[in-house]
Amino acid sequence: STLTCSSFAKKADILPENKDGGSNMFSFVKQSFKLIQSNKTVFYLTITGILTLSGQYFLESIYQPYFKDFQVPPYLIGLSLSLGTILNIILIKYSYLLEKYFTLGKIILYINLILGIFYIALGVFVSPIFIVGIFICLYGLFNLQNPIISDYINGHTPSHIRTTVLSSVSFSRRFFQ
């Protein structure tokens, strides 16, 4: 499929050619990884994304036995997932508002501190209502920093490799899942 897409893109003049007659696709990938390595902020954003991924997967793997151990009614499991997802959609949609009040570093720090506090609270409280409320808040906050990070990278990356850099950052994060 890659060869088909590459040949189609070449015929449609989507990919520019270099002197040797080949496409610059690998050159773009190489430039994007060089930019990630050389731009300290983009590099640290990628590393932060890699290190903060495990929290979401941890919660998604333990919430069912955790809810069962603390006798959360089954109907609240589906309700908490639904409300958490709705909260996440709303927060991600309006996450750009944070950029008006905080710097990029502070946004990432505050989001991760809030997530950490909610994880600690999840371990402290034993009431089913508190557990469900904390779960909804945690689920709502996951990936909140992603649109802000993408905006930063969009603003600090040359347009000819912007999508490749964003894809490379995403690939790096997904590789460590």
Side-chain angles (χ1 to χ4, degrees), residues 4-53:
T4 304
C5 291
S6 183
S7 65
F8 171 74
K10 194 140 178 88
K11 287 179 184 176
D13 290 331
I14 294 172
L15 295 175
E17 291 191 7
N18 60 19
K19 306 179 240 185
D20 303 330
S23 71
N24 282 333
M25 181 172 53
F26 294 110
S27 173
F28 289 150
V29 172
K30 187 176 174 181
Q31 287 176 0
S32 70
F33 278 112
K34 281 184 180 180
L35 184 123
I36 291 170
Q37 289 176 341
S38 65
N39 186 328
K40 287 185 178 184
T41 304
V42 174
F43 178 76
Y44 290 133
L45 289 173
T46 305
I47 297 299
T48 302
I50 290 168
L51 295 176
T52 57
L53 271 178

Side-chain angles (χ1 to χ4, degrees), residues 9-164:
K10 194 140 178 88
K11 287 179 184 176
D13 290 331
I14 294 172
L15 295 175
E17 291 191 7
N18 60 19
K19 306 179 240 185
D20 303 330
S23 71
N24 282 333
M25 181 172 53
F26 294 110
S27 173
F28 289 150
V29 172
K30 187 176 174 181
Q31 287 176 0
S32 70
F33 278 112
K34 281 184 180 180
L35 184 123
I36 291 170
Q37 289 176 341
S38 65
N39 186 328
K40 287 185 178 184
T41 304
V42 174
F43 178 76
Y44 290 133
L45 289 173
T46 305
I47 297 299
T48 302
I50 290 168
L51 295 176
T52 57
L53 271 178
S54 59
Q56 180 177 358
Y57 298 109
F58 175 75
L59 184 68
E60 288 176 352
S61 67
I62 63 131
Y63 80 90
Q64 292 173 342
Y66 194 74
F67 278 19
K68 184 180 177 188
D69 287 347
F70 289 102
Q71 300 168 350
V72 175
Y75 67 89
L76 286 180
I77 295 173
L79 183 66
S80 62
L81 283 169
S82 299
L83 292 176
T85 302
I86 290 168
L87 179 63
N88 185 261
I89 291 167
I90 292 167
L91 289 176
I92 286 177
K93 181 178 180 179
Y94 294 106
S95 64
Y96 71 91
L97 295 173
L98 292 172
E99 292 178 292
K100 292 181 181 180
Y101 304 105
F102 303 108
T103 62
L104 177 67
K106 287 185 180 181
I107 292 170
I108 293 172
L109 176 67
Y110 293 155
I111 290 171
N112 287 311
L113 282 175
I114 292 169
L115 283 169
I117 290 168
F118 278 129
Y119 271 110
I120 292 169
L122 192 62
V124 171
F125 292 105
V126 293
S127 168
I129 296 298
F130 284 119
I131 290 172
V132 168
I134 293 167
F135 179 84
I136 290 169
C137 292
L138 274 170
Y139 215 77
L141 289 172
F142 288 140
N143 300 315
L144 184 60
Q145 70 270 15
N146 288 354
I148 298 166
I149 291 171
S150 294
D151 284 348
Y152 178 85
I153 293 172
N154 278 333
H156 292 85
T157 306
S159 63
H160 70 284
I161 61 168
R162 185 172 296 140
T163 56
T164 311

